[in-house]
């Protein structure tokens, strides 16, 4: 039965509109259908706030209203906020303060803030937090959003708003650093503090690098322009839908799609019977993809609730959903196993019992990989140690919860090539991996990555692209596929839940031996199972780099969604375990925890003993620590938080609410040594500007901006003279994509090389124009090339000359970069907490991280990475986990039951940078994206121990677990 249609009248952004809508059609869908693409969808349950619009000036969730219900009313979307080309003060403030990362939540944040500031011109911090609590952000940690609202309020009140200033202090190497007074927070103070930078005096000065440049994509995101994958309408587009398994483990005895296929408006229905059985691995990894090859596009067995069963393409989303219901599936339900420890037990259900998967270590025992590596004589070292300590730790199955769910649109272009427009971190891997699955050569495929609404590793995977492509190839029509929020929870990827056993041998204050035994749960498929755990083993055994080290790991299958890449990539789980055990040891030996860690952590000039044996999925390379600011970071973090004074004071506290302060240190990497490679192209235009073409994939992190800063620094131009384009497999050079904290270090290295080559061409052409014999001493500065005799030519003159007059040619250079090193950024983390000992509830008051990420290319975007990373890590440590019934049914697969931190719940979040000058990095840069997530878990456990005396070893620290531990 077709839905009854109505005519309604709306005023949208001051324009009168007459619209024909379905009686039950949601306002959100109508607005997007009418191309108001700034209105986003992030859930299906009214929890995320992405769809917020202003209805007669009030913020409402457009997914919770029918269009018919607002007939006659006035609507404002973000498209309507800028007037006569002038940005609204809120839009400008969001840009200035770096409050836009991926930008997917930005329209809802700005509109909500507008309605709030209309009524509260001079708001308090607490009022802002409460007002913004209905709109989630997964990227920023909310800090820059608060700053932007405060700045906009001042602008609207007509007060002066000075340019953004990042305080910087120069220090002498070896000096003991103390934190600026602004970091000494009063209790309950949540006011954002600008990140402070500490710079060694020997570090060279830069002009564009190191400055808080505006993100190159900020204006379009602040205006709500249609820049995301789903923000287009293609003529004749079909809607794809996925039938997922209701069972955690079942064989498909038969499947009958005939009724669905016969439905009007249904163009294709495909099941395992219709597709070739080609084994592959879905993780967006380098060639050759690490084993196992344990997936096929559609299988005759399902291995978790949410696994793929069939796909449909139809004229409308509703028709596609109806068709799914007509597919008859005869399942033979099998027993399921949902826990990695149970999966190893004798008689456990076998997740992969097929005989055509490749590279599974022991399928009968559910072991996909077994890894053993060691250095030194570990047993002898344990036997000789004065003390041997052991501890068991476990970590949750965290969901990425990017606010843009996975979405892609595929179509055939005019040359009959397949175009895949997709929200991916790895466009070049997608092209290569998809080709054999759809029966095309890579050259017949173009992958386009528009703006991405958050990734965090979840989009380093081929999830919908091959399904959508197959339906386009079958039908010849454009097809759109999108996960609902629930599908994103049950069918996409998660963080690996790990069971971690550490054993540490200590003599005096020295750690002599460490053993890490790890059981990693990769869920139903092994897409990132090997690499995540090798990285975890390496970093978890390198932070404290004893000479005797052993890693033993089983990666196991369970009947749960496949685990994949997730910011922190195995490292955060293992560093959590070792950090907590190191503090337990310090306490037992009566040592100061900070000094015990300082005495044992990896120092400059020391080798990383396991770097060769534990590469990422294969043998690595010998490495050593070149630079480290960890000691300075620790000093600053301790001082900024009055760590020792608080620890002493808290010993005397009594009552139900107990305060605690905790500490951790961490290291990460910068790209994958010897594996990651990136390229960049710079092409000059005749006005002296340049196109910067990069395959690197900005997923909201600001990488397009920092790469432009690197090029601008070399070319002596402002960032605004660079037109950055990323990424498109037809038009940008190759890049491995955004993962492994590689973009600044590896892609930045490529951009710097391309810019150096371009600068050389500019000097040569300028020398010809000035009739000089040599380019020696020529400077690129202020959009000019300046000769030693002070004569100069502008870049515009060079552009025009090289195109039209002298030795006519295009000034254009491409460069590639890889590194056999992966220099570790380092950091110190402090967390302050209040524990309600009656209920077990935790209230985190403050998180402070002091970070050494080498040279900070852009302090605003870097601080945003650290702030957002800490809040994601707090979710991991405190409240985020996916739960299953014994049969493997999802119990909390939606926002709401799966809780991510809201604006009004966030603690104070503070960042300090300590710069180091990494010789192998562009301008001394290392990485920043993942180190930010590594330390909150152990620091929270440390703080809870400080408050209560109990050691919590099983994350997340839910009230139930804390309460139970307290009672026991
Ligand atoms: Fe409306 Fe999530 S899409 S609240
Ligand atoms: Fe808020 Fe990405 S910037 S979700």
């Amino acid at each position: 039965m077709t839905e009854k249609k109505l005519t309604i009248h709306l005023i949208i952004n001051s324009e009168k509109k007459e619209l024909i809508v379905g009686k039950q059609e949601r306002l959100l869908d109508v607005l997007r259908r009418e191309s108001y693409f700034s209105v986003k969808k992030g859930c299906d349950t009214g929890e995320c706030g992405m769809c917020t619009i202003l209805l007669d000036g009030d913020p409402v969730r457009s997914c919770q209203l029918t269009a018919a219900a607002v007939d006659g009313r006035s609507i404002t979307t973000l498209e309507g906020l800028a007037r006569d080309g002038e940005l609204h003060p809120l839009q400008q403030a969001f840009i200035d303060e770096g409050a836009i990362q991926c930008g997917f939540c930005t329209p809802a944040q700005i509109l909500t803030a507008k309605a709030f500031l209309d009524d509260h011109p001079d708001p308090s911090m607490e009022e802002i937090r409460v007002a913004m609590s209905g709109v989630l952000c997964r990227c920023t940690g909310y800090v820059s959003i608060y700053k932007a609202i405060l700045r906009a309020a001042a602008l609207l009140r007509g007060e002066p708003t000075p340019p953004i200033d990042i305080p910087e202090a120069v220090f002498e190497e070896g000096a003991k650093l103390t934190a600026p007074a602004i970091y000494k927070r009063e209790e309950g103070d949540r006011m954002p503090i600008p990140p402070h930078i500490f710079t060694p005096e020997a570090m060279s000065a830069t002009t564009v690098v190191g400055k808080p440049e505006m993100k190159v994509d900020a204006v379009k995101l602040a205006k709500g322009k249609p820049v995301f994958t789903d923000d287009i309408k293609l003529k004749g587009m079909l809607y794809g839908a996925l039938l997922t398994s209701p069972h955690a483990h079942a064989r498909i005895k038969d499947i009958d799609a005939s009724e669905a296929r016969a439905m009007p408006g249904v163009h294709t229905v495909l099941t395992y019977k219709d597709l070739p059985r080609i084994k592959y691995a879905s993780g967006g990894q380098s060639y050759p993809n690490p084993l196992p090859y344990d997936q096929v596009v559609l299988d005759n067995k399902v291995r978790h609730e949410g696994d793929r069963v069939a796909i449909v393409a139809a004229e409308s989303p509703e028709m596609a959903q109806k068709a799914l219901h007509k597919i008859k599936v005869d399942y033979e339900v099998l027993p399921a196993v949902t826990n990695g420890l149970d999966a190893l037990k004798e008689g456990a259900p076998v997740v992969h019992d097929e005989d055509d998967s490749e590279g599974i270590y022991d399928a009968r025992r559910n072991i996909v990989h077994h890894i053993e590596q060691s250095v030194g004589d570990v047993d002898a070292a344990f036997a000789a140690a004065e003390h041997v300590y052991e501890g068991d730790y476990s970590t949750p199955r965290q969901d990425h919860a990017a606010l843009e769910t996975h979405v892609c649109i595929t179509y055939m272009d005019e040359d009959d090539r397949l175009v895949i427009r997709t929200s991916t971190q790895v466009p070049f891997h997608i092209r290569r991996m998809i080709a054999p699955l759809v029966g095309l050569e890579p050259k017949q495929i173009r992958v386009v990555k528009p703006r991405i609404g958050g990734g965090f590793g979840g989009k380093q995977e081929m999830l919908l692209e091959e399904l959508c492509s197959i339906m386009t190839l079958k039908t010849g029509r454009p097809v759109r596929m999108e996960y609902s929020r629930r599908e994103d929870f049950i069918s996409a990827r998660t963080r690996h839940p790990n069971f971690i056993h550490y054993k540490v041998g200590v003599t005096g204050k020295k750690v002599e031996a460490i053993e890490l035994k790890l059981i990693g749960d990769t869920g139903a498929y092994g897409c990132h199972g090997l690499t995540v755990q090798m990285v975890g083993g390496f970093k978890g055994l390198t932070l404290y780099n004893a000479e005797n080290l052993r890693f033993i790991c089983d990666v196991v299958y369970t009947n749960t969604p496949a685990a994949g890449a997730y910011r922190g990539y195995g490292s955060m789980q293992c560093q959590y375990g070792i950090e907590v055990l190191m503090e337990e040891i310090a306490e037992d030996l009566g040592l100061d925890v900070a000094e015990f860690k300082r005495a044992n952590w990896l120092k400059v000039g020391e080798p990383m003993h396991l770097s060769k044996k534990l590469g990422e999925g294969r043998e690595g390379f010998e490495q050593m620590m070149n630079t480290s600011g960890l000691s300075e970071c620790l000093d600053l973090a301790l001082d900024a938080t009055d760590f020792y004074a608080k620890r002493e004071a808290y010993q005397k506290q009594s009552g139900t609410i107990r305060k605690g302060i905790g500490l951790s240190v961490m290291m990460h990497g910068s790209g994958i040594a010897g594996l990651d490679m990136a390229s960049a192209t710079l092409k000059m235009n005749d006005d002296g500007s340049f196109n910067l073409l990069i395959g690197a994939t900005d997923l909201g992190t600001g990488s397009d901006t920092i790469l432009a800063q690197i090029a601008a620094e070399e070319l002596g131009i402002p960032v605004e003279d660079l037109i950055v384009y990323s990424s498109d497999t037809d038009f940008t050079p190759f890049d491995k994509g955004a993962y492994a904290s590689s973009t600044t270090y590896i892609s930045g290295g490529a951009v710097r090389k391309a810019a150096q080559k371009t600068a050389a061409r500019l000097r040569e052409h300028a020398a010809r124009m000035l009739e000089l014999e040599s380019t020696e001493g020529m400077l690129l500065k202020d959009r000019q090339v300046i000769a030693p005799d002070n004569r100069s030519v502008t870049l515009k003159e060079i552009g025009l000359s090289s195109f039209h007059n002298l030795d006519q040619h295009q000034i254009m250079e491409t460069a590639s970069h890889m590194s056999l090193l992966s220099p570790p950024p380092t950091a110190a983390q402090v967390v302050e907490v209040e524990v309600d000992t009656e209920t077990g509830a935790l209230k985190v008051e403050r998180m402070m991280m002091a970070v050494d990420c080498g040279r900070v290319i852009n302090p605003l975007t870097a601080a945003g990475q650290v702030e957002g990373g800490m809040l994601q890590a707090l979710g991991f440590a405190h409240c985020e986990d996916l739960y299953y019934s014994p049969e493997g049914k999802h119990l909390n697969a939606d926002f709401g039951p799966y809780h991510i931190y809201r604006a009004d719940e966030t603690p104070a979040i503070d960042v300090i940078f300590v710069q180091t000058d990494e010789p192998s990095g562009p301008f001394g840069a290392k990485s920043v994206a993942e180190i930010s997530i590594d330390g909150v878990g152990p620091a929270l456990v440390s703080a809870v121990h400080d408050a209560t005396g109990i050691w919590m070893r099983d994350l997340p620290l839910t009230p139930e677990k804390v309460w139970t531990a307290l009672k026991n």
Side-chain angles (χ1 to χ4, degrees):
M1 204 171 77
T2 49
E3 194 191 8
K4 193 168 170 223
K5 299 283 181 193
L6 302 170
T7 301
I8 63 166
H9 296 86
L10 297 172
I11 300 170
I12 306 179
N13 299 332
S14 308
E15 252 185 82
K16 288 186 181 164
K17 295 272 178 184
E18 183 178 284
L19 303 173
I20 298 171
V21 301
K23 195 174 164 201
Q24 294 304 323
E25 204 174 355
R26 294 188 308 178
L27 180 57
L28 164 64
D29 300 326
V30 170
L31 289 170
R32 286 191 64 83
R33 175 156 55 75
E34 294 299 315
S35 299
Y36 296 99
F37 288 121
S38 74
V39 190
K40 304 292 185 209
K41 179 165 90 76
C43 74
D44 309 286
T45 50
E47 295 279 349
C48 72
M50 291 306 102
C51 58
T52 300
I53 53 153
L54 299 183
L55 185 62
D56 296 331
D58 293 326
V60 297
R61 293 169 185 218
S62 60
C63 72
Q64 298 297 298
L65 295 166
T66 60
V70 299
D71 189 11
R73 299 180 67 180
S74 172
I75 284 171
T76 306
T77 69
L78 191 62
E79 287 92 342
L81 211 57
R83 286 293 149 94
D84 305 324
E86 278 279 297
L87 292 175
H88 185 278
L90 267 163
Q91 291 170 306
Q92 191 60 55
F94 267 64
I95 295 168
D96 293 343
E97 292 286 3
I100 303 172
Q101 286 196 24
C102 78
F104 197 76
C105 72
T106 301
Q109 303 281 5
I110 289 179
L111 291 175
T112 306
K114 179 183 182 304
F116 169 65
L117 290 184
D118 286 348
D119 291 339
H120 300 79
D122 194 4
S124 70
M125 194 58 227
E126 203 43 46
E127 287 172 326
I128 294 175
R129 287 160 53 84
V130 171
M132 301 308 292
S133 64
V135 185
L136 296 177
C137 177
R138 191 57 159 169
C139 300
T140 60
Y142 302 102
V143 180
S144 50
I145 293 175
Y146 306 148
K147 284 191 212 161
I149 294 170
L150 288 166
R151 186 178 180 86
L155 273 168
L156 287 162
R157 291 194 302 268
E159 293 170 10
T161 47
I164 305 298
D165 181 38
I166 305 294
E168 189 171 353
V170 174
F171 69 95
E172 243 179 77
E173 214 118 356
K176 177 111 175 155
L177 303 186
T178 54
I182 193 170
Y183 284 94
K184 308 282 174 165
R185 284 185 177 276
E186 295 291 318
E187 196 172 326
D189 170 20
R190 298 278 197 273
M191 202 56 133
I193 298 173
H196 283 53
I197 299 184
F198 287 79
T199 305
E201 61 180 359
M203 218 159 155
S204 60
T206 47
T207 307
V208 185
V209 159
K211 302 293 177 290
E213 295 282 345
M214 176 184 97
K215 275 182 80 196
V216 295
D217 53 353
V219 171
K220 62 186 167 200
L221 291 167
K223 286 180 170 174
K225 295 269 186 186
V227 295
F228 293 93
T229 299
D230 201 26
D231 295 349
I232 56 167
K233 284 193 291 194
L234 294 178
K235 204 158 176 275
M237 189 162 79
L238 301 175
Y239 294 84
L242 179 65
L243 183 67
T244 60
S245 168
H247 305 294
H249 198 190
R251 221 173 290 286
I252 299 175
K253 293 199 308 199
D254 196 16
I255 188 162
D256 177 3
S258 53
E259 214 179 315
R261 286 192 180 111
M263 289 172 66
V266 172
H267 288 258
T268 188
V269 182
L270 300 169
T271 73
Y272 74 91
K273 295 180 179 176
D274 307 301
L275 299 177
R277 190 173 172 85
I278 302 169
K279 301 300 289 200
Y280 71 97
S282 62
Q285 310 246 35
S286 277
Y287 175 81
N289 274 45
L291 295 166
Y293 303 148
D294 58 0
Q295 291 165 270
V296 292
V297 173
L298 294 172
D299 206 346
N300 58 0
K301 189 182 182 195
V302 287
R303 299 177 180 84
H304 66 96
E305 188 193 6
D307 207 352
R308 300 157 162 203
V309 175
I311 46 174
V312 165
E315 291 286 345
S316 72
E318 296 75 25
M319 281 178 196
Q321 288 301 323
K322 279 185 191 156
L324 292 185
H325 287 111
K326 298 288 181 194
I327 301 172
K328 297 191 185 82
V329 191
D330 185 7
Y331 292 103
E332 175 195 350
V333 178
L334 303 169
V337 58
T338 60
N339 174 295
L341 298 179
D342 294 341
L344 285 169
K345 289 180 183 159
E346 195 55 44
V350 176
V351 179
H352 282 270
D353 55 359
E354 68 280 1
D355 56 13
D356 58 352
S357 282
E358 198 184 324
I360 300 175
Y361 175 75
D362 186 348
R364 197 189 55 78
R365 294 172 58 217
N366 291 317
I367 302 175
V368 54
H369 299 292
H370 179 78
I371 311 164
E372 280 195 37
Q373 289 295 351
S374 63
V375 290
D377 189 340
V378 179
D379 293 324
F382 279 129
E386 282 175 7
H387 309 275
V388 175
Y389 293 90
E390 298 189 52
D392 286 296
Y393 307 89
S394 56
T395 60
R397 185 184 296 279
Q398 187 179 25
D399 191 89
H400 302 80
L403 284 162
E404 178 201 44
T405 59
H406 288 81
V407 57
C408 73
I409 294 172
T410 53
Y411 57 94
M412 305 306 290
D413 72 7
E414 56 278 19
D415 294 317
D416 289 329
R417 292 172 74 232
L418 174 67
V419 182
I420 305 171
R421 178 181 163 96
T422 180
S423 176
T424 182
Q425 296 174 220
V426 286
F428 287 90
H429 290 331
I430 291 287
R431 180 178 64 171
R432 170 178 50 81
M433 289 157 59
I434 242 175
L437 302 182
V438 300
L440 296 176
E441 293 295 324
K443 69 183 177 193
Q444 295 169 287
I445 302 172
R446 173 182 171 199
V447 179
V448 180
K449 174 223 70 100
R451 294 290 97 190
I452 303 179
F456 320 116
K459 293 171 181 170
Q460 194 198 330
E461 196 88 18
M462 183 171 61
L463 286 168
L464 292 173
E465 289 89 347
E466 76 279 33
L467 299 175
C468 212
S469 299
I470 287 166
M471 291 196 285
T472 281
L473 290 166
K474 282 266 176 221
T475 61
R477 300 264 295 261
V479 178
R480 167 189 176 274
M481 277 195 97
E482 173 198 44
Y483 276 148
S484 66
R485 177 55 59 188
R486 179 174 162 77
E487 285 171 338
D488 222 56
F489 276 107
I490 70 171
S491 301
R493 300 294 179 256
T494 69
R495 191 185 291 292
H496 290 74
N498 282 353
F499 302 92
I500 298 159
H501 180 87
Y502 266 107
K503 183 173 170 184
V504 176
V506 184
T507 296
K509 288 184 191 174
K510 187 166 185 306
V511 173
E512 299 284 357
I514 312 176
E515 180 181 77
L516 167 57
K517 286 185 178 166
L518 175 61
I519 295 168
D521 179 352
T522 188
Y525 302 101
C527 12
H528 284 261
L530 177 67
T531 45
V532 161
Q533 305 307 355
M534 287 181 83
V535 169
F538 170 54
K539 302 223 168 76
L541 287 169
T542 300
L543 178 59
Y544 301 106
N545 203 13
E547 283 173 13
N548 305 289
L549 300 165
R550 181 156 59 210
F551 181 51
I552 303 173
C553 173
D554 283 321
V555 184
V556 299
Y557 288 124
T558 58
N559 293 115
T560 57
Y566 196 151
R567 191 182 198 176
Y569 208 75
S571 168
M572 64 150 4
Q573 292 98 317
C574 294
Q575 291 192 56
Y576 150 67
I578 189 66
E579 277 301 276
V580 175
L581 184 55
M582 284 293 282
E583 185 159 357
E584 294 186 47
I585 295 169
E587 184 184 68
D588 190 66
L589 295 177
L591 301 171
D592 176 275
V593 58
E595 297 317 312
F596 179 53
K597 290 181 175 182
R598 202 192 301 263
N600 284 289
W601 70 46
L602 179 71
K603 295 182 181 61
V604 171
E606 291 182 352
M608 303 179 206
H609 298 298
L610 280 168
S611 60
K612 192 165 167 60
K613 293 191 170 180
L614 287 175
E616 191 161 327
R618 60 186 186 178
E619 191 175 294
F621 298 85
E622 299 291 1
Q623 298 197 54
M624 70 158 61
M625 193 78 147
N626 282 329
T627 53
S628 173
L630 183 51
S631 201
E632 290 83 1
C633 287
L634 180 59
D635 288 341
L636 285 165
L638 294 173
D639 184 51
T641 55
D642 289 324
F643 182 84
Y644 287 111
K646 283 179 183 159
R647 277 231 156 155
E648 197 178 330
Y650 296 160
Q651 289 194 353
K652 299 174 197 122
Q653 64 187 325
S654 58
T656 309
I657 306 294
R658 299 286 175 89
K659 292 177 190 294
I661 184 164
L663 168 75
S664 67
V665 298
M666 53 277 191
M667 60 167 271
H668 209 90
S670 304
I672 307 169
L675 191 78
D676 282 342
M677 191 278 276
S679 317
T681 298
L682 273 160
K683 178 167 76 76
M684 191 177 200
N685 299 310
D686 47 13
D687 61 352
S689 68
F690 296 83
N691 292 94
L692 173 59
L693 308 175
I694 40 179
T697 313
D698 189 338
L699 48 148
T701 54
S703 65
D704 282 1
T705 307
I706 62 107
L707 296 176
Q709 285 179 260
I710 289 169
E713 184 75 37
E714 287 290 350
L715 296 172
I717 58 173
V719 167
E720 70 196 56
D721 286 2
L722 286 153
I723 304 144
V724 185
Y725 184 57
S726 75
S727 18
D728 178 328
T729 55
D730 268 13
F731 295 111
T732 58
F734 179 83
D735 190 295
K736 289 283 172 74
Y739 57 89
S741 287
S742 65
T743 305
T744 306
Y745 182 70
I746 298 289
S747 307
V751 169
R752 190 172 191 200
K753 280 183 185 169
Q756 285 170 335
K757 287 167 77 177
T758 306
R761 297 292 86 73
L762 294 170
R763 284 191 192 95
E764 284 161 13
H765 201 84
R768 255 174 252 140
M769 290 172 74
L770 296 170
E771 298 181 342
L772 291 171
E773 303 238 309
S774 150
T775 60
E776 206 175 316
M778 292 187 116
L779 267 186
L780 269 73
K781 199 176 161 197
D782 300 335
R783 297 173 164 143
Q784 306 172 78
V785 182
I786 305 167
D789 60 7
N790 273 337
R791 288 184 300 146
S792 63
V793 286
T794 65
L795 297 194
K796 182 174 178 179
E797 287 165 340
I798 293 176
L800 287 168
S801 165
S802 61
F803 283 142
H804 304 292
N805 305 123
L806 182 68
D807 182 23
Q808 285 165 266
H809 69 295
Q810 167 77 63
I811 293 179
M812 178 165 84
E813 290 292 344
T814 294
S816 299
H817 185 68
M818 59 85 67
S819 175
L820 297 181
L821 303 175
S822 174
T826 57
Q829 174 79 59
V830 172
V831 169
E832 296 183 51
V833 74
E834 274 184 10
V835 183
D836 184 332
T837 54
E838 285 290 303
T839 63
L842 307 183
K843 185 167 168 226
V844 177
E845 288 289 317
R846 184 184 189 189
M847 300 192 288
M848 138 36 77
M849 184 181 276
V851 193
D852 147 33
C853 57
R855 168 96 64 180
V856 181
I857 303 285
N858 183 324
L860 269 191
T861 57
Q865 286 295 294
V866 179
E867 291 154 2
M870 276 195 264
L871 197 63
Q872 256 180 43
L874 184 58
F876 163 83
H878 183 201
C879 55
E880 292 185 36
D881 199 356
L882 285 165
Y883 298 104
Y884 301 91
S885 72
E887 300 76 38
K889 297 272 186 201
H890 287 264
L891 299 176
N892 63 333
D894 251 319
F895 283 150
Y898 186 94
H899 187 75
I900 70 171
Y901 261 80
R902 297 189 318 243
D904 59 334
E905 298 168 327
T906 42
I909 299 178
D910 300 329
V911 181
I912 294 178
F913 292 108
V914 177
Q915 299 203 94
T916 52
D917 201 354
E918 168 58 39
S920 66
F923 295 102
K926 298 191 270 192
S927 75
V928 74
E930 290 185 274
I931 183 89
S932 60
I933 207 162
D934 290 338
V936 171
L940 180 65
V941 170
S942 162
V944 169
H945 175 72
D946 185 43
T948 64
I950 55 168
W951 283 116
M952 298 295 300
R953 296 189 176 91
D954 176 24
L955 298 181
L957 303 188
T958 59
E960 294 82 354
K961 287 186 201 166
V962 176
W963 184 86
T964 305
L966 283 165
K967 294 304 149 200
N968 291 338

